[in-house]
Amino acid sequence: MGNKPAVFTHEQLEAYQDCTFFTRKEIMRLFYRYQDLAPQLVPLDYTSSPDVKVPYELISSMPELKDNPFRQRIAQVFSEDGDGHMTLDNFLDMFSVMSEMAPRDLKAYYAFKIYDFNDDDYICAWDLEQTVTKLTRGELSAEEVSLVCEKVLDEADADHDGRLSLDDFQHVILRAPDFLSTFHIRI
Amino acid sequence: MSRQLQGLGEEAGGGVRGRARNGSPGTGDRSGRRPSRKQAPKAQGAPGKRGAPPGRKERAGGSPRPGSPRSKQAERRRPREELRKPERSTAERTSKGRRKRDGRTSFKEQRAPPKKEKETPRKEEMWKPLKKHRSSSLASSTSVGESLSEEELAQILEQVEDKKKLIATMRNKPWPMAKKLTELREAQEFVEKYEGALGKGKGKRLYAYKMLMAKKWVKFKRDFHNFKTQCIPWEMKIKDIESHFGSSVASYFIFLRWMYGVNLVLFGLIFGLVIIPEVLMGTPYGSIPRKTVPRAEEEKAMDFSVLWDFEGYIKYSPLFYGYYNNQRTIGWLRYRLPMAYFMVGVSVFGYSLTIVIRSMASNTQGSTSEGESDNFTFSFKMFTSWDYLIGNSETADNKYASITTSFKESIVDEQESNKEENIHLTRFLRVLANFLIICCLCGSGYLIYFVVKRSQEFSKRQNISWYERNEVEIVMSLLGMFCPPLFETIAALENYHPRIGLKWQLGRIFALFLGNLYTFLLALMDDVHLKLSNEETIKNLTHWTLFNYYNSSGWNESVPRPPLHPADVPRGLCWETAVGIEFMRLTVSDMLVTYITILVGDFLRACFVRFMNYCWCWDLEAGFPSYAEFDISGNVLGLIFNQGMIWMGSFYAPGLVGINVLRLLTSMYFQCWAVMSSNVPHERVFKASRSNNFYMGLLLLVLFLSLLPVAYTIMSLPPSFDCGPFSGKNRMYDVIQETIENDFPTFLGKIFAFLANPGLIIPAILLMFLAIYYLNSVSKSLSRANAQLRKKIQALRELEKNHKSVKGRATARGSEDTAKDSPQNATQLQLTKEGATPHSASQSQTLDKKTQSAGTSSSASETMLPASQHLPVSRLPNVRPDSGRGRPHTHPWKSASGKSAGRPPH
């Protein structure tokens, strides 16, 4: 450690450890992953917290994300202005939420945002259709898709307003047996 | 003193600053999830009050006001007061001595109810006269002093606690990192600043010290956590597997890693407390008969086959029970080895039980009631079916396909529930399949019994071949290898849904393994009893040999004869070691069979398919042999049963755990390699959901079942007379009694004797049963209440639904009359109309966001936004299809980003 120029100050690392679910080593690993995405863009010195963003195209090319049908949404949700370009902070945020240690509620909150394609704080039928289409790569017919969406709304929509609020979503998702095990990216 | 004053001034100033700092994020925060928002007014209150009393004194006649306006006024007045502070300070100096006393009394009277006081401002008002009185009696202003008054102190303390809590839970907040960082910094600064201000005099230093220690402790915990996570091995390997095969395959490897950890602990226990003391301090090899290879075996004791069948030198090594001496204490440490041996044997089971139960409990903690999961099939499929771990395109393809099929399946299920065709045939086939499988199970049981019996015959003969010696292990391994596929073939008859089929399959394999294990045990027990019955004769023989040796003629009686060479002493069969050896062999052969199966069944097959595909007449990769899939359930069951054997055998073969650690280590690497090199992702993945706990349950069952025979042998069989740490005793547990009698003070011995009295134990057991019964009934009644509540909620929802749909229809009809009903209703109606006219498309579009023509409809949608929550929309059948068609399917990306870009002006 001593002979290498430090990427972060000690305080920065401590603060990151306070704000994420990662240990020092994991934060460093994540930083190097981030740096690897765009070596010419990201400096190796973050002590002065430079304002650097890695474009979405590079983020989505990570092996952890590149096969995920929701990668776009994930990047959008965690990026600052919803365009998918990520600063290091956003990047750490994303993997912190996706880490194994993150609690259910936090995960559910972000899952809701991910499935809420049009950012209106509700998952409406259109969002659901998007989800199904992405999940099945459009191999279901339109009737099937709409049937599925109707069913989901039927099951989960507690207040019957035709869309899922965050509460509805959490109500469902907190009962899902494998939500925690699947909504998880190991880094 | 003056320094103190200065410090106080700083503190007061800091209070103002702190308030300013506190206030700003509070107002900036819009999410409303922030607990510290509550603190903002509080923070205002504290410094405000600090300045307030003089002001209050000025207008002493003023009536008491409720909290918030007062503090506001005080705020406004503060600058003036701060200016005046120097003047006051002289007066304070004079009154300081007085105040100190006063402070202490008031400390007591105010310390008690600080919380209540904060919650109910009225109480505060009650106190005001008191304060006023005090301040007037002090002649000069006292309320701003060199130390904070107690209620402020309490408040600050509370704030500090809140901030600390915030720091601790910062990572759980759904905020972007930048916000988290600033919040964190603020909270930390606040805590830093005020931590020092708390406490008084000696208490202050103590408090500071405590805080320091707390900080150190937190730091230590974090470092320890860092260290701990670094120690977790194979993280990257598992990650690779996870991204290739999804979470289900990886769950096996995580289980394997967990098992490895447990075994390492057991290994540490046994090696640290039994084997190493014995090696270091016990009598060396060859000193006594039990530690020496007998004359007859000597020539074969160094054969290579010893490594395989654990005869020869290995049999007479600390790896097995028989090697240990029954000396009460060994070495200069006077280590009580027999006692340690017994206690370690018990604690191996104790530790395993606790760790299994604990991990089961922590697994169940997260999951809520199971009964409800049926209600959300589609939702679960929609929101949790994608495995975010997948990072491999082939797996992703499979996953897409499996999700599609599962959707289709549930749609079909939904459309035509239960189309039972030819139920009789299915029933007949199922009965037939079960019959066949029971036959298989019985057959395998009998085969094992037969083989074990035969091996006893063999063991009496002198020269036996390699096969005859290892017949039992080979047969058991072969059965374990071939029966599961056979079961699978038979299960194809049954035509179950694959998930149910998987459960049946697991149950059957479990039954097979269990049956085999127990048959093996029973046969072994027979053997043990046989050996025990022979023991008497051997005992006599030993006596006679020794007697003859020492009394034989032709030796000078005056010189004592050198003792008989230990290798020549005839000795018993030592059933404990025999049992240990059986388990050892079984473990090793199991391991080898597993590896060979992987090599042949997976790797060679993969090689064959891969390379012969160039010159074969059909497509091998897609056609018949194809690549193997990773058999999760079989592997997990194998692991569980292996662990069961370890538990059973570890008492009689302390080295068994060491072997198992090696086995798990190698199999981790080997299987990781095999799965990555020669297996393909599952075509149809059913997550055996909550499988983790299912496996844990199996493990617990196996642990219990393996505890039984060991407990039986310890409790009811006499140990061999000439080998092992308990030789010469009537029962193994006598070692405890011996220790209690000899090494503990007598009264402790009495207490133990009293505790062991059946008169006490039986009531204790009864009490336990009663407690279980009581807790059980309580949980039952709770769950009943739960179900009732759920029913109520459901009914309520139904009611609401009906109500809403009626109301919605009324609104949609657009009758002008309803507009008069209530102002709220009126606005709703208007909004609907407004939305409906420009876009007849629908009300559900309302929520314009999905349209990419956000710009055009923005005026309408903007006004509708607030109402959209109340609107019972999209339940109208006549509107719905229309809206469906009107919905744009294209470019979610563009629309979303455009939306978010266009948002700020809103």
Side-chain angles (χ1 to χ4, degrees):
Chain A
M1 272 201 174
N3 47 10
K4 252 195 305 184
V7 180
F8 301 108
T9 62
H10 186 66
E11 288 74 36
Q12 273 178 312
L13 270 180
E14 288 289 316
Y16 278 137
Q17 286 184 63
D18 272 326
C19 291
T20 63
F21 295 94
F22 295 125
T23 63
R24 199 174 305 140
K25 191 180 146 216
E26 287 165 326
I27 289 172
M28 290 316 290
R29 193 162 72 212
L30 274 169
F31 170 75
Y32 287 119
R33 288 297 304 278
Y34 182 71
Q35 212 261 336
D36 271 351
L37 289 177
Q40 71 286 7
L41 219 63
V42 182
L44 269 173
D45 175 25
Y46 254 76
T47 44
S48 54
S49 44
D51 184 28
V52 179
K53 284 187 176 182
V54 170
Y56 165 73
E57 289 71 31
L58 291 174
I59 295 278
S60 69
S61 70
M62 288 181 71
E64 281 83 4
L65 289 177
K66 79 176 178 345
D67 291 301
N68 196 319
F70 303 110
R71 57 185 177 279
Q72 220 167 26
R73 281 302 301 160
I74 296 174
Q76 281 172 332
V77 163
F78 285 99
S79 62
E80 242 147 58
D81 22 353
D83 51 4
H85 309 321
M86 292 189 129
T87 64
L88 177 67
D89 285 354
N90 304 146
F91 191 76
L92 285 177
D93 247 350
M94 172 166 81
F95 284 108
S96 171
V97 169
M98 289 301 195
S99 76
E100 211 168 357
M101 286 82 76
R104 249 163 205 267
D105 290 330
L106 186 67
K107 278 178 183 274
Y109 175 79
Y110 277 102
F112 178 78
K113 289 190 99 169
I114 286 171
Y115 293 124
D116 176 19
F117 278 80
N118 49 19
D119 286 327
D120 63 350
D121 295 332
Y122 288 97
I123 294 181
C124 50
W126 185 78
D127 292 326
L128 291 177
E129 274 172 34
Q130 286 297 312
T131 313
V132 177
T133 330
K134 281 204 183 292
L135 271 180
T136 56
R137 282 189 177 159
E139 278 178 28
L140 290 185
S141 67
E143 291 95 64
E144 283 169 329
V145 170
S146 64
L147 181 73
V148 167
C149 295
E150 230 167 85
K151 276 280 157 201
V152 171
L153 280 180
D154 208 37
E155 287 167 0
D157 185 12
D159 46 8
H160 301 286
D161 56 357
R163 55 194 183 163
L164 303 185
S165 64
L166 181 61
D167 285 341
D168 295 337
F169 184 75
Q170 278 178 338
H171 179 80
V172 174
I173 214 76
L174 296 184
R175 276 160 186 74
D178 15 68
F179 172 62
L180 271 191
S181 62
T182 56
F183 196 74
H184 164 205
I185 296 177
R186 201 181 286 261
I187 189 81
Chain B
M1 199 153 58
S2 63
R3 213 180 54 220
Q4 251 179 334
L5 271 174
Q6 218 181 348
L8 212 251
E10 266 173 32
E11 266 163 26
V16 177
R17 257 179 284 137
R19 179 190 48 77
R21 255 191 296 110
N22 259 355
S24 60
T27 51
D29 171 46
R30 228 153 268 178
S31 66
R33 300 179 148 260
R34 213 170 128 258
S36 65
R37 198 189 199 179
K38 272 183 285 174
Q39 292 164 8
K42 241 189 281 162
Q44 278 173 4
K49 250 179 276 151
R50 193 177 303 145
R56 233 180 282 147
K57 214 166 42 146
E58 278 170 11
R59 24 156 80 227
S63 58
R65 264 172 293 267
S68 55
R70 175 164 34 95
S71 65
K72 250 190 228 162
Q73 284 184 358
E75 221 176 293
R76 250 179 270 134
R77 218 175 298 120
R78 190 166 303 103
R80 244 196 314 155
E81 275 163 27
E82 269 175 355
L83 282 178
R84 275 201 326 230
K85 207 172 276 165
E87 300 164 26
R88 258 189 278 130
S89 65
T90 49
E92 276 167 19
R93 226 172 283 161
T94 58
S95 68
K96 194 208 162 196
R98 177 96 196 260
R99 266 184 50 73
K100 230 176 183 177
R101 257 186 296 131
D102 202 354
R104 203 151 293 161
T105 52
S106 67
F107 181 80
K108 264 178 210 151
E109 66 190 64
Q110 296 186 7
R111 195 45 181 276
K115 251 191 195 161
K116 258 189 247 162
E117 170 258 335
K118 204 167 53 52
E119 282 160 10
T120 59
R122 204 171 288 163
K123 210 158 195 178
E124 200 179 309
E125 283 167 25
M126 261 168 40
W127 283 4
K128 234 188 280 169
L130 185 142
K131 240 195 212 164
K132 240 186 273 172
H133 167 72
R134 191 179 58 169
S135 57
S136 63
S137 74
L138 284 174
S140 62
S141 64
T142 49
S143 43
V144 174
E146 72 284 316
S147 67
L148 308 167
S149 83
E150 274 66 30
E151 55 180 298
E152 290 163 0
L153 206 70
Q155 278 187 353
I156 290 181
L157 187 69
E158 198 149 308
Q159 277 173 338
V160 167
E161 290 302 318
D162 280 352
K163 288 280 177 193
K164 276 187 189 160
K165 218 180 279 170
L166 180 70
I167 292 175
T169 58
M170 184 61 78
R171 60 193 69 164
N172 292 345
K173 304 274 185 253
W175 301 332
M177 180 70 80
K179 187 173 173 194
K180 272 193 277 191
L181 284 177
T182 48
E183 289 281 326
L184 180 75
R185 210 171 308 125
E186 273 163 20
Q188 274 171 347
E189 270 169 27
F190 184 88
V191 169
E192 203 109 310
K193 189 177 289 297
Y194 284 107
E195 234 168 26
L198 299 169
K200 272 187 177 181
K202 276 184 196 164
K204 187 166 181 166
R205 292 181 70 181
L206 186 70
Y207 189 81
Y209 179 72
K210 258 177 19 193
M211 283 303 126
L212 192 74
M213 288 329 278
K215 254 183 228 166
K216 285 247 160 90
W217 173 238
V218 167
K219 191 164 160 28
F220 170 76
K221 266 200 309 200
R222 171 165 293 170
D223 284 346
F224 185 68
H225 181 67
N226 278 349
F227 174 72
K228 232 172 37 184
T229 44
Q230 274 187 18
C231 286
I232 295 175
W234 306 309
E235 196 72 5
M236 294 320 277
K237 265 184 193 301
I238 289 177
K239 190 204 152 190
D240 276 352
I241 292 171
E242 242 170 7
S243 63
H244 263 87
F245 295 93
S247 52
S248 53
V249 173
S251 75
Y252 166 72
F253 285 93
I254 291 172
F255 188 60
L256 180 62
R257 184 173 67 178
W258 184 82
M259 214 57 141
Y260 179 70
V262 172
N263 274 288
L264 266 190
V265 173
L266 298 184
F267 176 74
L269 261 180
I270 290 178
F271 262 63
L273 294 178
V274 172
I275 294 185
I276 293 195
E278 170 67 31
V279 170
L280 290 182
M281 300 189 287
T283 48
Y285 172 81
S287 54
I288 47 173
R290 70 185 66 178
K291 298 192 177 187
T292 326
V293 177
R295 202 59 87 191
E297 295 176 28
E298 237 167 30
E299 57 187 287
K300 285 196 286 179
M302 279 294 267
D303 287 359
F304 189 71
S305 70
V306 159
L307 285 180
W308 159 262
D309 55 22
F310 298 99
E311 292 287 337
Y313 281 108
I314 290 187
K315 186 175 173 186
Y316 299 96
S317 73
L319 295 185
F320 289 104
Y321 172 93
Y323 182 78
Y324 295 85
N325 198 359
N326 62 345
Q327 235 177 324
R328 273 203 65 227
T329 58
I330 56 169
W332 52 273
L333 276 177
R334 302 180 56 73
Y335 190 72
R336 291 179 175 76
L337 191 75
M339 181 68 186
Y341 195 101
F342 188 82
M343 291 317 278
V344 165
V346 171
S347 56
V348 161
F349 279 103
Y351 173 75
S352 312
L353 266 178
T354 30
I355 197 89
V356 171
I357 289 177
R358 253 185 59 184
S359 75
M360 273 181 87
S362 70
N363 277 349
T364 43
Q365 241 170 27
S367 64
T368 40
S369 54
E370 302 175 19
E372 273 179 293
S373 58
D374 299 338
N375 301 337
F376 295 119
T377 23
F378 280 95
S379 307
F380 287 169
K381 280 214 172 80
M382 176 89 88
F383 296 125
T384 66
S385 59
W386 184 260
D387 197 341
Y388 280 66
L389 289 161
I390 290 174
N392 172 281
S393 55
E394 195 185 344
T395 320
D397 288 345
N398 285 347
K399 191 76 194 174
Y400 282 123
S402 81
I403 289 174
T404 312
T405 37
S406 82
F407 268 126
K408 279 188 176 153
E409 263 177 21
S410 5
I411 289 171
V412 168
D413 280 355
E414 196 59 34
Q415 277 167 349
E416 39 185 309
S417 51
N418 289 343
K419 42 147 195 175
E420 282 296 317
E421 49 176 69
N422 209 346
I423 193 163
H424 294 294
L425 180 65
T426 345
R427 259 186 210 156
F428 170 72
L429 282 177
R430 283 179 188 178
V431 169
L432 180 71
N434 276 319
F435 178 73
L436 285 178
I437 280 167
I438 286 171
C439 285
C440 282
L441 288 177
C442 294
S444 79
Y446 178 73
L447 192 62
I448 287 174
Y449 192 78
F450 175 73
V451 167
V452 173
K453 280 284 170 205
R454 216 158 77 122
S455 80
Q456 286 161 12
E457 299 286 315
F458 286 145
S459 66
K460 279 179 198 142
R461 282 194 283 160
Q462 276 307 309
N463 51 346
I464 47 175
S465 67
W466 176 85
Y467 170 74
E468 281 166 335
R469 192 198 301 267
N470 298 301
E471 198 182 38
V472 182
E473 286 77 29
I474 292 172
V475 167
M476 278 187 77
S477 301
L478 286 181
L479 278 176
M481 209 159 99
F482 286 113
C483 277
L486 185 67
F487 288 173
E488 211 158 339
T489 328
I490 295 173
L493 284 178
E494 294 179 304
N495 199 15
Y496 275 125
H497 184 276
R499 194 173 318 210
I500 301 168
L502 185 73
K503 270 191 187 146
W504 276 95
Q505 173 78 356
L506 275 179
R508 280 163 188 165
I509 298 176
F510 192 80
L512 171 79
F513 282 3
L514 206 64
N516 291 359
L517 206 61
Y518 260 72
T519 336
F520 173 72
L521 274 182
L522 284 181
L524 214 60
M525 245 9 139
D526 273 2
D527 196 22
V528 166
H529 282 296
L530 201 72
K531 280 189 172 142
L532 276 177
S533 61
N534 285 342
E535 207 162 52
E536 271 311 303
T537 53
I538 291 172
K539 219 176 189 170
N540 288 340
L541 183 69
T542 317
H543 271 295
W544 270 109
T545 322
L546 290 179
F547 185 74
N548 288 340
Y549 177 71
Y550 286 115
N551 294 339
S552 58
S553 54
W555 194 268
N556 188 358
E557 294 294 323
S558 61
V559 182
R561 274 189 93 168
L564 184 64
H565 190 271
D568 294 326
V569 177
R571 60 187 84 159
L573 296 162
C574 198
W575 61 267
E576 292 96 339
T577 300
V579 171
I581 285 178
E582 286 299 325
F583 278 110
M584 205 74 134
R585 280 189 201 159
L586 210 58
T587 309
V588 171
S589 69
D590 185 45
M591 173 168 78
L592 291 180
V593 167
T594 316
Y595 290 172
I596 289 170
T597 324
I598 291 173
L599 263 187
V600 175
D602 289 351
F603 183 65
L604 285 187
R605 176 169 156 194
C607 285
F608 175 77
V609 170
R610 176 78 182 76
F611 294 111
M612 293 306 279
N613 204 23
Y614 298 120
C615 50
W616 206 261
C617 34
W618 69 82
D619 189 4
L620 283 174
E621 283 185 351
F624 160 58
S626 179
Y627 297 107
E629 285 178 357
F630 187 77
D631 175 18
I632 304 168
S633 54
N635 273 304
V636 168
L637 281 182
L639 198 60
I640 286 174
F641 271 90
N642 171 56
Q643 192 58 39
M645 285 194 288
I646 302 302
W647 277 322
M648 268 193 251
S650 69
F651 191 76
Y652 296 121
L656 190 58
V657 179
I659 302 251
N660 193 41
V661 166
L662 280 183
R663 176 220 158 113
L664 292 178
L665 192 68
T666 48
S667 85
M668 186 80 197
Y669 284 102
F670 188 61
Q671 290 197 306
C672 272
W673 165 78
V675 82
M676 291 301 273
S677 69
S678 47
N679 283 8
V680 287
H682 289 245
E683 235 170 89
R684 293 199 55 189
V685 193
F686 352 73
K687 279 162 285 176
S689 58
R690 265 175 258 122
S691 52
N692 219 347
N693 239 1
F694 180 65
Y695 295 146
M696 283 291 172
L698 287 186
L699 193 66
L700 192 66
L701 183 63
V702 166
L703 176 58
F704 182 70
L705 290 177
S706 57
L707 181 61
L708 281 184
V710 176
Y712 169 74
T713 50
I714 287 177
M715 286 313 201
S716 55
L717 291 185
S720 301
F721 74 99
D722 64 345
C723 69
F726 311 116
S727 56
K729 295 194 176 56
N730 195 20
R731 291 283 182 271
M732 290 181 191
Y733 57 83
D734 284 349
V735 72
I736 291 184
Q737 255 169 348
E738 191 189 72
T739 311
I740 288 171
E741 274 167 21
N742 295 344
D743 298 334
F744 282 102
T746 42
F747 76 92
L748 268 182
K750 269 182 196 157
I751 290 176
F752 276 115
F754 180 64
L755 285 182
N757 189 357
L760 211 65
I761 288 178
I762 291 172
I765 292 176
L766 269 180
L767 201 67
M768 245 156 28
F769 271 117
L770 284 181
I772 290 172
Y773 175 77
Y774 172 72
L775 289 178
N776 197 25
S777 63
V778 163
S779 81
K780 248 186 211 161
S781 71
L782 279 182
S783 68
R784 211 176 300 133
N786 218 350
Q788 263 172 1
L789 280 179
R790 198 175 301 145
K791 221 181 273 172
K792 256 181 208 165
I793 288 177
Q794 205 110 35
L796 219 71
R797 262 189 217 157
E798 290 294 315
L799 206 72
E800 207 173 340
K801 190 178 177 180
N802 293 338
H803 188 68
K804 271 200 176 166
S805 64
V806 168
K807 208 166 138 190
R809 220 169 289 140
T811 353
R813 225 178 283 135
S815 59
E816 298 296 317
D817 304 345
T818 43
K820 291 167 201 160
D821 285 354
S822 69
Q824 190 200 356
N825 213 342
T827 52
Q828 266 184 26
L829 186 66
Q830 246 171 352
L831 289 169
T832 11
K833 270 178 7 190
E834 214 177 314
T837 38
H839 310 283
S840 59
S842 67
Q843 288 143 309
S844 65
Q845 290 251 358
T846 43
L847 328 169
D848 71 321
K849 287 103 220 216
K850 43 188 109 140
T851 63
Q852 80 278 65
S853 61
T856 61
S857 68
S858 69
S859 63
S861 64
E862 228 172 312
T863 44
M864 270 158 31
L865 239 172
S868 60
Q869 288 158 2
H870 314 288
L871 275 178
V873 287
S874 82
R875 287 272 150 203
L876 308 169
N878 53 343
V879 184
R880 201 169 170 96
D882 200 355
S883 71
R885 227 171 294 134
R887 224 166 276 149
H889 281 264
T890 51
H891 303 308
W893 173 251
K894 236 184 225 169
S895 72
S897 62
K899 175 72 196 146
S900 57
R903 230 182 193 183
H906 275 222

